[in-house]
């Protein structure tokens, strides 16, 4: 059983559509990170959410951290082909970074 | 500056070769990591170094040998690898082991 359940696994949408990716756990995390990774490149840190109920915005991306700090979501408004990639949520557990399984997003023009 | 650099970008090696992957960061981070990643999957942790000492080895086969010469450098020595070891190898660093991690661009390794 994954400590962080991420959904959906795959998402293929048209340019201009909105989407939401979910990251859920039965455990409390002190913080959660969201990364975006393009093929053949390393994951790039998008945001860290720390406080329960926190909302952070990065241009068309909105990140939320659940009140109980067990879940998080990433919402993209008006998706563009440049948003295509693998989106990963991750949280620190002990000395390790625990990853969700990832969401492969494809935005078609 | 949040840059982690890795060399080489690509590596092709035979099963009898010995090669090394290199990673460098100048952010003053005291924790460094090696991950292995297969296509469309999340990174899998291999090793964690904290203050230049190996703190976690995720039961990685001995054909992978990490080394941390100083607080800015991390190496991964490879010997007698198998074709199934072909993957993207990622290095990451963080201020400490419970802080957010910053990843390098990776080394694409192909074992023939």
């Amino acid at each position: 059983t994954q400590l962080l359940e991420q959904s959906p696994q795959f998402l293929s949408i048209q340019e201009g559509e909105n989407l939401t990716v979910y990251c859920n756990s039965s455990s409390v995390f002190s913080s959660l990170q969201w990364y975006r990774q393009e093929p053949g490149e390393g994951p790039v840190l998008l945001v860290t959410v720390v406080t329960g109920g926190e909302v952070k915005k990065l241009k068309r991306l909105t990140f939320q951290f659940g009140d109980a700090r067990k879940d998080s979501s990433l919402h993209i408004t008006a998706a563009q082909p440049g948003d295509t990639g693998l989106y990963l949520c991750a949280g620190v557990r002990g000395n390790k970074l625990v990853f969700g399984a990832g969401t492969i997003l494809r935005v078609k023009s | 500056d949040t840059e982690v650099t890795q060399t080489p970008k690509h590596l092709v090696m035979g099963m009898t070769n010995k090669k090394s992957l290199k990673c460098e960061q100048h952010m003053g981070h005291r924790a460094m990591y090696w991950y292995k990643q297969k296509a469309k999957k999340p990174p899998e942790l291999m090793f964690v170094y904290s203050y230049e000492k190996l703190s976690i080895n995720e039961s990685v086969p001995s054909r992978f040998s990490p080394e941390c010469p100083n607080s800015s450098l991390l190496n991964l020595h490879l010997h007698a690898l198998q074709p199934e070891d072909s993957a993207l190898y990622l290095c990451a660093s963080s201020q400490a082991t419970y802080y957010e991690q910053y990843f390098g661009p990776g080394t694409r390794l192909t074992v023939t």
Side-chain angles (χ1 to χ4, degrees):
Chain A
T1 304
Q2 286 261 74
L3 191 58
L4 280 171
E5 298 285 343
Q6 195 172 335
S7 63
Q9 190 175 0
F10 301 98
L11 201 51
S12 181
I13 61 173
Q14 290 293 133
E15 182 177 4
E17 292 183 8
N18 302 332
L19 66 114
T20 302
V21 178
Y22 299 94
C23 182
N24 297 307
S25 176
S26 57
S27 303
V28 174
F29 283 88
S30 57
S31 67
L32 280 179
Q33 288 86 50
W34 284 93
Y35 292 86
R36 175 172 165 267
Q37 184 177 21
E38 296 190 32
E41 298 292 330
V44 174
L45 180 65
L46 297 174
V47 78
T48 297
V49 286
V50 178
T51 306
E54 183 176 11
V55 176
K56 283 192 174 179
K57 292 195 173 186
L58 190 66
K59 297 183 180 177
R60 294 175 294 100
L61 278 59
T62 302
F63 303 86
Q64 287 191 303
F65 200 16
D67 291 341
R69 292 185 290 132
K70 292 182 180 180
D71 56 87
S72 182
S73 64
L74 157 60
H75 182 78
I76 301 179
T77 304
Q80 298 177 1
D83 295 327
T84 293
L86 174 66
Y87 288 81
L88 295 159
C89 67
V92 175
R93 177 63 64 206
N95 286 340
K96 304 179 187 180
L97 192 61
V98 175
F99 285 92
T103 296
I104 297 171
L105 172 64
R106 181 185 172 203
V107 182
K108 296 174 284 186
S109 57
Chain B
D1 181 13
T2 56
E3 188 178 29
V4 176
T5 59
Q6 289 187 245
T7 56
K9 180 75 172 170
H10 301 277
L11 179 62
V12 179
M13 60 185 290
M15 289 189 285
T16 59
N17 291 159
K18 284 186 180 181
K19 296 286 185 183
S20 296
L21 309 184
K22 297 185 182 301
C23 173
E24 190 167 6
Q25 58 88 14
H26 294 289
M27 295 179 276
H29 289 174
R30 302 317 299 263
M32 296 186 77
Y33 312 80
W34 280 115
Y35 290 86
K36 173 184 177 182
Q37 187 179 27
K38 292 284 196 178
K40 300 181 182 178
K41 298 293 184 184
E44 298 173 26
L45 182 66
M46 300 174 72
F47 302 104
V48 179
Y49 272 83
S50 180
Y51 290 85
E52 302 166 44
K53 293 192 186 315
L54 182 65
S55 63
I56 294 177
N57 176 342
E58 290 286 89
S59 301
V60 178
S62 60
R63 56 186 185 268
F64 294 91
S65 175
E67 177 196 19
C68 189
N70 60 56
S71 60
S72 300
L73 294 174
L74 187 65
N75 299 322
L76 186 62
H77 303 298
L78 314 172
H79 173 56
L81 294 193
Q82 303 297 311
E84 59 265 29
D85 296 322
S86 298
L88 182 67
Y89 287 84
L90 294 163
C91 173
S93 72
S94 62
Q95 191 172 343
T97 53
Y98 43 85
Y99 280 78
E100 59 200 14
Q101 294 181 19
Y102 294 88
F103 286 82
T107 293
R108 171 67 61 190
L109 174 67
T110 302
V111 181
T112 61

